[in-house]
Amino acid sequence: PLRGEPLPGDHEEGQHLLGEGAATGTHYSYEEEDGHGRESEYLDASSKEAFGVKPQVINLGNTIVGAGLMALPKVVQTLGIVTGVISLFVVLMCTIKTLNYMLVESTRCRSTDFAAVVRQRLGTKAAHVLDFSIVVNNVGLLIIYLRIIGDVLVGNAEYKGIITDFMSDKSLLAQPYFSVGIITFGVLLPLCSLEKMDALAAASASGLALALLFSLITIILSLVEISHDGLKDVSFGPNPLYFHGGFVQDLLVIVGVFPVIFTSLVCHYNLLHVKEDLPRRFYHKMPEIVKVSGCSCVGLYCVVASFGYILFKDDVQGDVLLNFGCDALERLVGSKMCIVIAVAVRSMYALVLSMTFPLIHFALRQTESTILLPRPEERNKPVNRWGLTLLNLVVSFVVAMEVPNIWTPLQITGAVAAGIIGFIIPSLLHLNVPEQEKSTWGTVQAYLLLSLGVLVGVVTIYQLCTGNLS
C-alpha cells in the first residue's frame, strides 16, 4: 500500500494511535522512516514500560506557563474567584479539545509539522496565516519576556528592580541594555540555539519548579493576609468595580479578559514538536501528555490567581509582580523580610521566564526555517540555526528595551495570534475531516470553538480601535 493509506489489519492500531477524540472511520497507520518498518514498533514490554513521557509533559507544561501567569490575578479580580476559576477550566477544556483536533489531523497527514498539516488539510493560504500568526505570537511573547526580565532586574518608572534596590541607578549593571543583554546573549542564546526540544527538559523542569515555589510563597502570604483581615473585600462573583454598566458593556468586560486566558494556555505551536521528540510507537501517549500538562498548569494558575487576588485584593495590578514590594508586604512580614520576599519572588519569576523563553523561541525558529529555508538539509545546518537564533534575539532585545507598554500587546497577541493558532485553525481542521468521520455534536463543538476565537479577536480589535482596551 502507498504511504498514507490504511494497511490491512490496522484498524485497531490506527485507533490506538489517534488517541482520544478521534472519530470512527478510516484509520491511518505509520511506518518508521529508518527503514526498519513495522518491526521497530514492537519492542518487548519492559522497554515500553521503561519509557516515560515526563520530559514531554514538562516541556509542554513549561510552554504553557509564562508571562500570562502574572496577569491571571487581575483576571480573577475582574471575574471573581468562582467565575474566574470556572473560566480557566472552560478554556482548558476548549484547549484540550483543539489540541486533540491537531493530533488527529497530524496522524492523518503523517506529519509533525503544524504548517504542513494545515497546508495539506486547509490549503496554502491557511498555512501562510498560521505561519504569520506564530511569528507574531512568539515574537510578541519574546519581547514581553525580555521586557519583564528587564523590569525585574532594573525596574521601571513605577518600582525599583533587584539591582537598583542595592546599587545606584547610574551604575553599569543598572542599565537595562547591559544587564538584560548579559541574560539574553550569555544565557538565553545558548539555550535557544539547541537543535531539539528534549534537550531543554532539565531547564523546563527548573522553570516549573520555580513556578511552584512562587505559588507556595503566594499561598503562605495570602494565609497571613486572611488571618489579619479575613476575606473582606474579596469578590467571589463578578466584581462590582467592573460590572456596573448595561448588558453589552458587561459582556465586553467578560470577553476582554479572555485574551489573557488564551495567552496563558496556548501551546499549539509546540505540540507537534513535542510529539516529534517521542518515538513513533509512543505517539498514542500524546493525549495523555496534553491532559496532564494542561490540568497541572491550570491547577497552578487557579492557585496563583486566586491567592494572588486574596493577597492584594482590588489593588492587584495587571502584572502581579508589581505588587510584590515592601509597600504591600511590610505590614504582613515586617520591613526586613519584605525585602527578602520581594527579591526572591522577582528573581524566581525572571528565572521562570528564562526557562520558558527557549521553548517559545523553538517554535518561532522552526516556523522561520520553513519559510526561509525550504530545503530540509539547509534547516539542519548549524550556521543557519545559530544565525536565525541570533537574529531573533537581537530583534526581540532591541524592541523590548524600547517598548513602552507590555500588557496591551499581550492582549492583542492573545486575541488575534493566539486565537487563530489555538482556536480558529484547529477548529477548521476538524470541520474539514471526511464526511464519514463527522458527527453532529462534534461539528457543533468545532463551530462553537471557532466562534469563540473569532468573537474574542473581533471584540479586542474593536476595543483597541475605540481606545477602550485596558
Side-chain angles (χ1 to χ4, degrees):
L2 299 175
R3 290 180 60 83
E5 293 182 352
L7 295 171
D10 267 358
H11 180 83
E12 292 182 1
E13 179 186 344
Q15 192 172 27
H16 188 49
L17 177 64
L18 285 175
E20 299 182 21
T24 58
T26 304
H27 297 279
Y28 297 81
S29 64
Y30 58 85
E31 298 178 14
E32 294 288 350
E33 298 286 348
D34 56 9
H36 296 295
R38 297 166 59 85
E39 293 179 2
S40 61
E41 298 175 23
Y42 301 103
L43 300 181
D44 57 272
S46 61
S47 297
K48 289 189 176 183
E49 291 175 0
F51 180 82
V53 296
K54 185 177 179 180
Q56 282 72 26
V57 170
I58 291 173
N59 275 342
L60 190 60
N62 208 30
T63 301
I64 299 173
V65 175
L69 175 64
M70 294 299 149
L72 290 176
K74 186 70 174 179
V75 172
V76 169
Q77 181 223 5
T78 304
L79 299 179
I81 292 178
V82 174
T83 314
V85 169
I86 290 174
S87 298
L88 278 169
F89 275 101
V90 168
V91 176
L92 170 65
M93 289 188 291
C94 294
T95 301
I96 289 176
K97 177 65 70 174
T98 56
L99 290 171
N100 277 328
Y101 290 164
M102 289 176 55
L103 291 175
V104 172
E105 295 308 308
S106 167
T107 301
R108 189 193 313 280
C109 298
R110 305 166 66 83
S111 175
T112 54
D113 186 326
F114 193 5
V117 172
V118 172
R119 186 176 294 106
Q120 183 174 335
R121 302 297 298 160
L122 301 178
T124 303
K125 291 183 179 179
H128 290 332
V129 171
L130 174 66
D131 289 339
F132 173 77
S133 300
I134 291 177
V135 170
V136 170
N137 183 78
N138 291 25
V139 168
L141 287 177
L142 296 186
I143 291 170
I144 290 168
Y145 281 23
L146 290 178
R147 177 55 191 266
I148 296 175
I149 291 173
D151 290 344
V152 167
L153 294 177
V154 301
N156 59 19
E158 298 185 46
Y159 71 99
K160 289 190 174 184
I162 297 172
I163 294 175
T164 50
D165 268 335
F166 302 99
M167 300 180 65
S168 167
D169 293 347
K170 297 181 180 179
S171 65
L172 184 61
L173 280 175
Q175 306 307 311
Y177 270 94
F178 183 77
S179 55
V180 180
I182 292 176
I183 299 295
T184 302
F185 301 106
V187 178
L188 297 179
L189 178 60
L191 290 174
C192 290
S193 63
L194 294 173
E195 186 176 1
K196 288 191 175 183
M197 281 183 59
D198 55 359
L200 298 170
S204 298
S206 302
L208 288 178
L210 291 171
L212 290 173
L213 183 57
F214 168 78
S215 67
L216 179 62
I217 293 173
T218 304
I219 291 172
I220 293 172
L221 291 174
S222 299
L223 293 176
V224 174
E225 170 66 21
I226 292 172
S227 68
H228 284 196
D229 296 330
L231 295 176
K232 181 182 177 182
D233 299 326
V234 173
S235 297
F236 289 89
N239 195 324
L241 285 175
Y242 301 95
F243 293 88
H244 50 73
F247 173 77
V248 174
Q249 190 64 34
D250 290 348
L251 183 62
L252 290 176
V253 172
I254 294 173
V255 175
V257 301
F258 270 82
V260 177
I261 303 178
F262 281 9
T263 304
S264 301
L265 284 172
V266 68
C267 59
H268 299 64
Y269 42 79
N270 268 344
L271 176 70
L272 298 186
H273 299 312
V274 171
K275 179 180 176 181
E276 185 179 22
D277 287 337
L278 281 171
R280 292 193 173 213
R281 61 188 175 277
F282 296 111
Y283 277 4
H284 67 276
K285 289 181 176 287
M286 281 305 300
E288 173 191 347
I289 293 171
V290 167
K291 281 188 176 181
V292 172
S293 299
C295 292
S296 300
C297 291
V298 167
L300 174 66
Y301 284 172
C302 290
V303 168
V304 172
S306 300
F307 283 98
Y309 169 48
I310 291 172
L311 177 59
F312 301 114
K313 297 187 173 66
D314 286 335
D315 291 328
V316 69
Q317 300 295 307
D319 175 8
V320 73
L321 192 67
L322 296 174
N323 292 106
F324 280 92
C326 285
D327 292 343
L329 300 179
E330 185 173 358
R331 67 184 183 86
L332 298 177
V333 297
S335 58
K336 294 183 178 179
M337 184 57 68
C338 75
I339 296 176
V340 174
I341 292 175
V343 171
V345 166
R346 292 171 183 175
S347 300
M348 284 188 292
Y349 185 39
L351 287 172
V352 168
L353 293 183
S354 297
M355 297 303 101
T356 307
F357 190 98
L359 298 172
I360 305 298
H361 176 268
F362 184 86
L364 172 63
R365 191 184 67 210
Q366 291 293 95
T367 301
E368 292 172 334
S369 297
T370 303
I371 297 171
L372 301 175
L373 305 170
R375 296 168 60 186
E377 58 270 19
E378 293 179 343
R379 301 174 202 165
N380 297 327
K381 290 182 179 178
V383 64
N384 291 333
R385 187 173 73 250
W386 276 88
L388 280 176
T389 300
L390 182 60
L391 177 63
N392 289 333
L393 264 62
V394 168
V395 171
S396 300
F397 172 74
V398 172
V399 177
M401 293 300 97
E402 300 297 330
V403 67
N405 187 321
I406 65 172
W407 296 110
T408 296
L410 180 62
Q411 283 186 297
I412 296 171
T413 298
V416 182
I420 292 172
I421 297 167
F423 288 84
I424 295 175
I425 286 182
S427 300
L428 290 174
L429 285 173
H430 185 71
L431 291 172
N432 277 272
V433 300
E435 288 296 329
Q436 65 268 25
E437 296 185 23
K438 289 184 178 180
S439 67
T440 303
W441 176 232
T443 301
V444 169
Q445 286 179 309
Y447 273 116
L448 288 175
L449 293 171
L450 177 64
S451 301
L452 177 62
V454 172
L455 175 65
V456 171
V458 169
V459 169
T460 302
I461 293 173
Y462 167 76
Q463 290 179 316
L464 176 66
C465 293
T466 57
N468 294 320
L469 189 63
S470 59

